[in-house]
Amino acid sequence: MHESTPSATPSEMPVSSEGGLRLGAIDIGSNSLHMVIAQVDEDGAVTTLWRIKEMVGLGRISFPSRRLSAEAMERALSALTHFQDTCRRRGCRKIMAVATSAVREAENGGEFIERVRRRTGLRVRVVSAREEARLIYLGARHECELGEQPNLILDVGGGSAEFIVGNSRKAALLESRKLGAARMTAQFINSDPPAQGQIDALVQHYQRELTPLLAKIARLEPKQIMGCSGTIEALACLCDEQNRSLRDGGAVLKRNALDELVVKLRTSTAPERSALKGMDAKRQDQILAGAMLVQQILHHLDVPNLSLCGGALREGMLVDYLARHMPDLAIRRDVPDVRRRSVIDLARRCDWHERHSLQVTRIALKLFDLLKPYHALEDSQRELLEYSAMLHDIGWHIAERSHHKHSAYLILHGRLEGFTNQEVRVIANIARYHRKSRPKKSHAGFNRLSAAEQRLVEIGAGILRVSDGLDRSHCGAVSSLRCRKDADHLTLSVKGRGDIQLELWAARRKRGLLERVLQTPVLFKSVIARKTLKAK
């Protein structure tokens, strides 16, 4: 049964993410698979829209055997397929997935990841123990007010437990221990109810593992403890019925109530545990190990209670992604058109020469407009020239030599959105011919174009060559252009700021293709902008 908890009813939520970015984050844990779908607004604000959980017990058998069972993998694959379908229906632009200790430690973890990729297309990232703790910290910091004082953030999963000490600015400690509830149950509890010897062995193990770690934590003087896992949430619901409605919005797990719960759990059988109010049937076999771990921590640190925090690994994934991709949000805000936004994104990914590229683009568009009576191209074709000019030099990202060919390759494989395959090929070819060899039928990329597309490439490349020459110094010296048709030639009057002889020299050298496609000579005339002297 898939559990979905929306922040609003589906009818209230838009299925697209216009004006923002909608993301899905999946945490493949040892006990459960969790997913959040969040809307990221143009100003970077994150709003959680849906939370979905599926308990598949991926690590229940793997901890003693170090292998994921076929049944557990199949349950996880089914849940991930459901998660992916949900993301698509909700208009997610990107789905992220990470796996933790169960997959990290399993001998066949790689096989599971490959099966996920083949079945769903999702590329699962297996995170290290320390990275898991870091992401949990980011999620907790985003969801809860940490303040300036240090806090202990505790996450008890199925395979591991994470211990983080940090405030709103940074984490002072990021630790992970193999003390998860499913792992400890598999290692120490093998009867129902557990024998006293099993309980004693588990307590001794906790004390050995926790004593040095909690001493280190105590020296950092955390002012409060926060819990952010399904295990801790389940314990809070079992200890106090009020917590079932509060959950992460003010729920508190009290130490005295936890002590009473542990006494009940130690002597109860599975049917008796399942009858407890608030018990999740899929946690009843391992809840004792988780409860005893939290109990040991609270008593060792002499803390009377623990507050619940809604942020965890999956929220941390969102925060981490946004920290690395905020420029994408800025583009979405500043450039609403998907085609233009996609071009700018590719240019930035290729570390473009922005100032030069935009100056060449301005000149190219002006030339296109001035020469329209002679080439008779449409405005839709003008747009393709514009994008070719913006991207003509991105091949420098690979190498200076043959950078025009590298530019074409990057455009063809740059995942430009909103364009047809033919439009991408035209853009790539115009950029490819902005220097060196002219378009030839013997060139495979050019020969694949239709006759109309070939003519567009020739005219576009001819204009782009001259435009590139008119910014030869890369200093934006050319300020405006005018065109005059004489009896047997075209004259382009080029106005500049200061000396533009280098630009005119380069344009004259690169005018050959333009003259051929227009079937007329092109001359260049310099017009120097004069400064106006103000009367004193």
Side-chain angles (χ1 to χ4, degrees):
M1 184 71 175
H2 301 285
E3 177 187 335
S4 176
T5 308
S7 297
T9 61
S11 61
E12 295 173 326
M13 305 309 305
V15 295
S16 64
S17 54
E18 286 298 322
L21 181 66
R22 189 166 290 182
L23 303 172
I26 301 172
D27 167 13
I28 304 174
S30 304
N31 271 333
S32 309
L33 273 64
H34 291 266
M35 181 176 75
V36 295
I37 296 177
Q39 176 84 9
V40 184
D41 295 332
E42 295 164 348
D43 59 359
V46 180
T47 303
T48 299
L49 304 180
W50 288 275
R51 298 179 187 270
I52 304 174
K53 178 180 71 174
E54 177 75 6
M55 291 195 71
V56 300
L58 192 60
R60 286 178 184 169
I61 298 176
S62 70
F63 291 121
S65 68
R66 299 185 67 82
R67 289 189 64 81
L68 304 173
S69 72
E71 296 81 4
M73 285 196 287
E74 190 57 38
R75 289 194 300 270
L77 284 165
S78 176
L80 288 170
T81 301
H82 169 67
F83 286 3
Q84 184 183 52
D85 290 344
T86 302
C87 283
R88 286 172 176 164
R89 290 197 308 271
R90 304 303 187 193
C92 288
R93 184 184 175 99
K94 181 176 179 61
I95 309 172
M96 299 167 283
V98 303
T100 54
S101 58
V103 178
R104 185 167 63 225
E105 299 174 27
E107 295 174 354
N108 58 343
E111 176 189 335
F112 171 71
I113 291 171
E114 183 60 22
R115 287 182 63 183
V116 172
R117 187 190 65 78
R118 289 198 304 266
R119 173 105 47 112
T120 68
L122 292 173
R123 297 189 178 274
V124 177
R125 179 167 67 103
V126 180
V127 294
S128 67
R130 182 176 176 81
E131 176 67 1
E132 183 177 355
R134 186 185 75 86
L135 292 174
I136 291 169
Y137 164 69
L138 293 178
R141 185 176 69 176
H142 180 265
E143 293 287 329
C144 302
E145 181 56 53
L146 299 185
E148 292 298 313
Q149 299 299 317
N151 308 270
L152 170 60
I153 301 163
L154 176 64
D155 187 304
V156 181
S160 63
E162 278 64 51
F163 301 80
I164 301 112
V165 177
N167 59 14
S168 60
R169 291 180 292 105
K170 64 179 182 178
L173 179 140
L174 295 168
E175 296 281 353
S176 180
R177 295 292 185 271
K178 295 180 179 181
L179 298 173
R183 186 195 300 272
M184 294 295 94
T185 300
Q187 186 172 339
F188 291 97
I189 308 296
N190 51 40
S191 65
D192 187 34
Q196 185 61 44
Q198 297 168 22
I199 297 294
D200 293 340
L202 179 56
V203 169
Q204 291 170 10
H205 180 75
Y206 281 154
Q207 290 176 345
R208 284 194 302 271
E209 292 292 317
L210 291 174
T211 298
L213 173 60
L214 294 179
K216 184 191 297 187
I217 290 171
R219 287 194 290 272
L220 294 173
E221 300 181 344
K223 301 307 178 186
Q224 66 172 331
I225 300 183
M226 299 175 138
C228 56
S229 66
T231 295
I232 294 176
E233 182 181 291
L235 292 172
C237 292
L238 285 167
C239 288
D240 190 339
E241 187 173 352
Q242 183 180 7
N243 286 331
R244 292 168 211 163
S245 59
L246 293 173
R247 295 290 172 116
D248 56 348
V252 173
L253 174 59
K254 297 180 180 179
R255 187 176 72 187
N256 292 340
L258 179 60
D259 290 341
E260 294 175 7
L261 177 65
V262 169
V263 171
K264 290 180 186 177
L265 296 176
R266 286 172 60 168
T267 59
S268 63
T269 62
E272 291 169 339
R273 288 193 297 276
S274 65
L276 294 174
K277 286 186 176 182
M279 174 63 75
D280 186 332
K282 293 183 179 180
R283 292 189 187 274
Q284 65 180 20
D285 293 335
Q286 55 186 274
I287 193 68
L288 173 60
M292 290 176 61
L293 174 62
V294 178
Q295 181 188 42
Q296 289 288 319
I297 294 168
L298 294 180
H299 278 277
H300 193 288
L301 295 176
D302 193 23
V303 177
N305 55 52
L306 173 154
S307 59
L308 267 65
C309 174
L313 176 61
R314 48 212 171 269
E315 288 79 14
M317 293 164 59
L318 295 172
V319 173
D320 185 59
Y321 177 85
L322 293 175
R324 292 181 285 110
H325 294 86
M326 280 304 293
D328 181 61
L329 288 176
I331 291 177
R332 294 176 73 83
R333 180 190 64 227
D334 300 335
V335 187
D337 178 70
V338 65
R339 286 157 66 101
R340 183 176 300 277
R341 184 168 69 232
S342 183
V343 168
I344 294 174
D345 178 61
L346 174 60
R348 289 179 176 176
R349 280 188 277 131
C350 296
D351 195 25
W352 68 330
H353 304 167
E354 182 175 0
R355 182 179 175 185
H356 168 64
S357 297
L358 292 181
Q359 172 69 354
V360 170
T361 301
R362 283 190 287 269
I363 295 172
L365 293 179
K366 184 63 176 177
L367 281 176
F368 182 96
D369 296 339
L370 291 172
L371 299 174
K372 193 167 185 178
Y374 313 107
H375 59 63
L377 294 178
E378 303 294 331
D379 287 345
S380 60
Q381 297 167 311
R382 180 183 190 269
E383 181 192 23
L384 299 183
L385 169 62
E386 177 183 8
Y387 296 146
S388 302
M390 291 173 68
L391 298 173
H392 78 282
D393 265 351
I394 61 173
W396 281 77
H397 187 62
I398 297 176
E400 175 185 358
R401 186 173 183 179
S402 298
H403 72 265
H404 55 302
K405 296 180 181 178
H406 298 318
S407 294
Y409 176 86
L410 290 171
I411 293 167
L412 288 171
H413 300 278
R415 303 188 303 278
L416 290 176
E417 297 181 20
F419 296 92
T420 67
N421 290 336
Q422 286 304 107
E423 286 176 325
V424 172
R425 292 190 184 101
V426 167
I427 294 170
N429 273 274
I430 294 175
R432 183 251 186 269
Y433 293 112
H434 84 271
R435 65 191 291 268
K436 298 292 185 179
S437 174
R438 297 178 183 181
K440 298 177 182 177
K441 293 289 181 67
S442 59
H443 296 167
F446 182 72
N447 193 44
R448 279 198 292 267
L449 301 176
S450 68
E453 290 167 343
Q454 288 179 353
R455 180 172 182 271
L456 171 57
V457 167
E458 289 179 322
I459 294 172
I463 290 174
L464 184 53
R465 285 176 180 234
V466 170
S467 303
D468 193 37
L470 288 174
D471 195 44
R472 181 65 178 80
S473 64
H474 286 216
C475 64
V478 171
S479 58
S480 65
L481 295 165
R482 284 186 300 167
C483 178
R484 185 181 75 248
K485 179 69 171 73
D486 294 306
D488 57 351
H489 65 272
L490 289 173
T491 299
L492 289 174
S493 298
V494 184
K495 189 181 218 180
R497 293 177 285 270
D499 193 345
I500 57 171
Q501 293 308 308
L502 179 61
E503 276 69 26
L504 294 175
W505 170 82
R508 292 183 182 113
R509 291 186 66 222
K510 302 183 75 169
R511 65 187 169 183
L513 178 58
L514 184 62
E515 289 181 326
R516 191 185 77 181
V517 295
L518 296 181
Q519 298 182 336
T520 187
V522 178
L523 305 181
F524 294 90
K525 176 183 176 183
S526 173
V527 179
I528 303 299
R530 296 180 179 178
K531 294 183 179 179
T532 301
L533 297 178
K534 294 182 179 180
K536 293 184 178 180

